[in-house]
Amino acid sequence: MRFMLDTNICIYLIGQQPPQVRARFLATPLGDVVMSVVTYAELRHGIERCPAEDRVAASQALQRMIARVPVLPFGEQDAHSFGVLAAAVPDRRRDAMDRLIAAHAVSMGCILVTNNEADFKDYPGVQVENWTLKPEPAAIDIKTMQNEGRD
């Protein structure tokens, strides 16, 4: 299973917060997490808007991230997917960058990881996961624990 990170998740990972996002990222096999070049462009834009004294550090943090998270190019198949998504939800006024990221995830067969689930609602074929949500605690089966000697 492959995951494509939305911009907000990349920002959380660079900042190493919240802990559940970092934990989920580290638990996912290397190569199963990718980034759209559209997300990379948004992150570069953010770096350029940083105060001059913070730009070098921000750029280095992003370089460390892309050393582990491949940046996928946006090609013809992705553009086709964008056309399909834009036509499928014409009444929604969503950010064009979000549509491009969603289209890229769909065409690459990736699950889109975001904390902005509503931004991707109603796009056909888009699968979304939110790694900022804390996992539900596992149900405790008392009988199983007793049988295993953990009572």
Side-chain angles (χ1 to χ4, degrees), residues 2-151:
R2 285 184 32 151
F3 300 95
M4 183 173 283
L5 304 179
D6 190 18
T7 308
N8 56 57
I9 298 297
C10 291
I11 292 167
Y12 297 153
L13 287 169
I14 289 169
Q16 299 188 19
Q17 292 294 329
Q20 62 270 23
V21 172
R22 186 171 187 272
R24 180 67 190 273
F25 174 73
L26 293 174
T28 305
L30 192 63
D32 283 358
V33 178
V34 297
M35 178 190 312
S36 171
V37 70
V38 178
T39 296
Y40 181 74
E42 287 187 313
L43 293 168
R44 291 299 321 173
H45 175 243
I47 289 169
E48 294 306 316
R49 294 186 63 198
C50 284
E53 63 271 10
D54 296 335
R55 264 188 224 132
V56 170
S59 187
Q60 289 172 343
L62 180 57
Q63 292 307 308
R64 284 191 300 275
M65 174 173 233
I66 66 171
R68 179 169 165 127
V69 179
V71 177
L72 301 184
F74 194 91
E76 187 176 339
Q77 180 182 348
D78 308 309
H80 175 79
S81 183
F82 174 80
V84 170
L85 293 184
V89 190
D91 59 327
R92 295 289 199 143
R93 300 196 79 226
R94 292 204 177 105
D95 181 43
M97 300 297 254
D98 287 339
R99 280 190 191 196
L100 288 166
I101 294 166
H104 205 176
V106 168
S107 69
M108 299 305 294
C110 295
I111 295 170
L112 182 59
V113 181
T114 184
N115 190 31
N116 296 332
E117 296 164 276
D119 291 350
F120 302 98
K121 187 178 178 211
D122 299 328
Y123 284 135
V126 177
Q127 297 178 0
V128 174
E129 275 190 22
N130 187 341
W131 289 1
T132 68
L133 304 176
K134 291 187 179 178
E136 293 293 320
I140 299 173
D141 182 352
I142 300 298
K143 287 185 181 181
T144 301
M145 287 178 62
Q146 290 171 339
N147 291 339
E148 293 176 356
R150 294 188 287 166
D151 50 345

